[in-house]
Amino acid sequence: MNFSERHPATQFIFFSASICSVILNRNPFFLCISLVIALVYRIFQLRSIRILKEIFNYILLTGFLTVLIPLVSHNGKTALFFINDNAVTKEAILLGFSTGLEFSAVICWFSCMSRVMSGEKIIYLISGIAPRLAVFISGIMKFVPLCRKQYLNIYRTQKNIYSGYKSLRKKIYIVIRSFSALITWIIESSADSADSMYARGYGLYGRSSFSIYRFRRFDVIILAVIVYLLPFTATSVLYRTAGIVFYPETVIPLSAANILISILWTIIMLIPVVTEICEEYKWKLLRSKI
Amino acid sequence: MKKIFLSAAVFILLTGCAKIQSKDEYYNSTEQVESEKSVLMSVNCSEILKNMDSLDSGLEKYIPEYGLIVEDKAYPIKDGETVYDLLIRVTKENRIQTESKGIFGNREIEGINYIYNSSCGKGSHWIYKVNGEIQQPVCSDYKLKDGDIVQWIYVCNDKESD
């Protein structure tokens, strides 16, 4: 069973926990491991050449921050050279590098999450507590790409109507016109969908809905491990033993508990990738027999 | 093509304005000033010694004995030299790290000897006094006169200036 077919609560807690662990732990080694795992998972999700473009973007982001942060922050013991009487230091470069890794890892985990958690799953998760919020969120998630598509449609039509005009004023006029049409369309279609939701009795007391999600034993195990680990991580972050001190000298505190927590987080983050590989292997095995 | 030219122009503008020096060049570029005018200057962070618990971890090594980063000493000054110029000159001579911020020549000191603003609890920062009076933070505006006493002091509790 793939990770994307598991219970939404498990998926949600897994992704939020892995994103939290990336944000809280600024150790470059841990961030590297996390980013690599997220990228491998992303490869399994996309299965196309688009992954190369994403990897290139992450490299660009990391490189940009590695260059930018030394130019802004000049703290640090080992100065490499000086720009306008301010030092460019090794520590600042390291800070920039790990910040870039952190940003890339968070973006990568979020893009994995958005692929797995569809609007339907979010409605399923929140509708019990706050039905209106659930509709709102899933509406946004569906609406943004839809709006973009509709805007392009309207814009092309308008451009064809006013195809003879080439001046800048006319171009701005076309954009404004199509934007106004888009807003009208947004209001109309959201009123439509709200009406249809109302007609079906969404959010009324006592109304139940069917869902295909089942809470299995494996979900219980994952949730238990994550819930067991969270206090450890929280305390280590509170007492500043987990992270890394960059200024004025870069010090990575290496304690047994810290390493253990990092290894456990790594194992948790590996769950979807491992299940994905297992499923692939099983599929190939069964297929060759037929 | 337009974009390439534009980015090249921006790059040249940025690097043209910047003064890039290697480490040795920077520290050996101190000029020997010989003049009859002189001022007294000191850099002092002894207030941290009373508030060691709120100091950021890893900084304990960089607090000198009695908190004196630069001891009280008379320095000859040039005409029109500002507090900022003097501080940079003296710290360069003694190989002490400093960081300043600001644009168009208005410089504010952010940190001296790895001790930064808000390194020792909330509201802790560097101030400077000339002849016993606290001055405004932009230290590149104050022109020094003969016989001035400049004190750089690290304040831990920001009660007085609030």
Side-chain angles (χ1 to χ4, degrees):
Chain A
M1 195 179 184
N2 271 342
F3 189 72
S4 55
E5 291 154 16
R6 296 229 166 266
H7 196 264
T10 317
Q11 290 168 350
F12 182 73
I13 288 177
F14 167 80
F15 280 114
S16 32
S18 47
I19 288 164
C20 279
S21 76
V22 168
I23 291 170
L24 294 177
N25 198 342
R26 305 194 78 187
N27 192 332
F29 298 114
F30 180 73
L31 290 174
C32 266
I33 293 170
S34 177
L35 179 61
V36 168
I37 294 170
L39 277 175
V40 171
Y41 188 37
R42 192 81 183 131
I43 290 170
F44 274 110
Q45 281 184 343
L46 285 177
R47 289 167 196 275
S48 77
I49 207 80
R50 252 174 66 200
I51 188 73
L52 284 180
K53 202 181 160 195
E54 282 189 11
I55 291 173
F56 178 71
N57 282 342
Y58 295 138
I59 292 171
L60 212 68
L61 179 68
T62 313
F64 177 69
L65 281 168
T66 314
V67 174
L68 183 78
I69 286 191
L71 294 179
V72 178
S73 161
H74 308 285
N75 201 344
K77 209 182 174 193
T78 40
L80 300 175
F81 56 93
F82 285 79
I83 294 178
N84 284 350
D85 296 341
N86 276 327
V88 172
T89 59
K90 201 177 86 184
E91 283 80 10
I93 291 175
L94 201 70
L95 174 66
F97 181 65
S98 67
T99 312
L101 278 184
E102 192 182 330
F103 281 17
S104 316
V106 168
I107 292 170
C108 199
W109 276 117
F110 264 116
S111 50
C112 290
M113 185 180 178
S114 70
R115 187 89 174 193
V116 172
M117 303 284 294
S118 55
E120 191 192 349
K121 281 179 187 171
I122 288 175
I123 287 196
Y124 172 77
L125 272 182
I126 323 177
S127 61
I129 313 158
R132 269 148 211 256
L133 186 73
V135 174
F136 183 66
I137 290 172
S138 73
I140 288 170
M141 282 181 73
K142 199 195 162 189
F143 237 61
V144 172
L146 210 64
C147 275
R148 215 176 131 195
K149 213 173 154 191
Q150 187 69 18
Y151 175 76
L152 279 177
N153 277 343
I154 299 168
Y155 179 70
R156 279 180 200 133
T157 319
Q158 291 289 328
K159 219 175 165 186
N160 279 331
I161 294 172
Y162 297 97
S163 60
Y165 304 97
K166 284 253 162 73
S167 69
L168 186 71
R169 209 172 134 229
K170 217 70 201 173
K171 276 180 190 165
I172 294 169
Y173 175 71
I174 292 169
V175 171
I176 291 170
R177 240 180 106 85
S178 34
F179 197 73
S180 138
L182 178 77
I183 285 171
T184 318
W185 175 82
I186 288 172
I187 293 166
E188 196 190 329
S189 66
S190 55
D192 252 7
S193 50
D195 267 354
S196 75
M197 294 293 272
Y198 184 71
R200 286 168 204 173
Y202 177 80
L204 287 180
Y205 178 73
R207 177 184 176 272
S208 64
S209 54
F210 171 76
S211 71
I212 54 166
Y213 310 116
R214 293 276 170 276
F215 211 72
R216 291 183 168 83
R217 198 183 294 152
F218 192 74
D219 297 307
V220 178
I221 295 169
I222 297 180
L223 286 186
V225 173
I226 290 175
V227 168
Y228 183 69
L229 264 182
L230 270 177
F232 282 114
T233 319
T235 46
S236 66
V237 166
L238 268 183
Y239 291 102
R240 292 186 179 183
T241 51
I244 168 168
V245 180
F246 283 102
Y247 293 142
E249 246 179 311
T250 307
V251 181
I252 301 174
L254 283 176
S255 62
N258 190 3
I259 295 169
L260 196 73
I261 286 174
S262 296
I263 290 172
L264 285 173
W265 274 119
T266 314
I267 291 169
I268 288 179
M269 284 191 295
L270 274 172
I271 290 168
V273 178
V274 170
T275 50
E276 204 86 23
I277 291 170
C278 285
E279 289 302 309
E280 194 93 332
Y281 181 68
K282 223 188 262 174
W283 171 252
K284 291 243 166 78
L285 208 70
L286 290 174
R287 209 177 175 192
S288 61
K289 279 178 189 168
I290 296 166
Chain B
M1 212 55 198
K2 224 177 185 178
K3 272 182 190 168
I4 295 170
F5 275 124
L6 205 70
S7 49
V10 167
F11 183 74
I12 289 166
L13 206 73
L14 281 175
T15 49
C17 293
K19 188 176 67 181
I20 298 173
Q21 290 167 309
S22 76
K23 199 178 170 185
D24 292 333
E25 252 172 41
Y26 176 77
Y27 281 122
N28 294 330
S29 65
T30 51
E31 39 186 330
Q32 294 299 318
V33 178
E34 280 175 21
S35 148
E36 286 176 7
K37 292 179 185 173
S38 68
V39 293
L40 274 172
M41 199 189 91
S42 65
V43 181
N44 193 333
C45 65
S46 57
E47 253 188 61
I48 293 178
L49 296 173
K50 293 177 215 156
N51 301 300
M52 277 305 244
D53 350 322
S54 47
L55 189 69
D56 287 353
S57 57
L59 276 173
E60 293 87 354
K61 282 190 283 180
Y62 299 94
I63 312 284
E65 215 179 347
Y66 307 121
L68 276 171
I69 294 169
V70 175
E71 280 178 39
D72 229 338
K73 206 180 137 190
Y75 294 95
I77 51 160
K78 288 184 288 188
D79 282 338
E81 196 164 29
T82 60
V83 174
Y84 172 75
D85 296 333
L86 182 70
L87 180 75
I88 292 296
R89 185 152 61 86
V90 171
T91 51
K92 238 192 226 180
E93 270 173 26
N94 297 322
R95 296 211 160 208
I96 294 167
Q97 183 258 4
T98 51
E99 183 174 341
S100 57
K101 65 168 183 189
I103 46 167
F104 304 126
N106 294 326
R107 307 303 288 186
E108 263 178 60
I109 290 296
E110 291 232 292
I112 303 171
N113 197 22
Y114 311 115
I115 303 159
Y116 274 65
N117 291 348
S118 71
S119 279
C120 184
K122 227 176 184 179
S124 59
H125 64 291
W126 284 103
I127 58 165
Y128 71 101
K129 290 179 180 175
V130 179
N131 301 330
E133 279 175 38
I134 299 175
Q135 305 290 329
Q136 50 133 335
V138 178
C139 59
S140 58
D141 281 354
Y142 195 95
K143 292 215 166 67
L144 288 166
K145 294 184 296 290
D146 190 19
D148 276 347
I149 300 168
V150 183
Q151 292 166 294
W152 283 92
I153 295 165
Y154 195 77
V155 186
C156 285
N157 292 319
D158 195 18
K159 278 168 194 162
E160 289 169 48
S161 59
D162 268 340

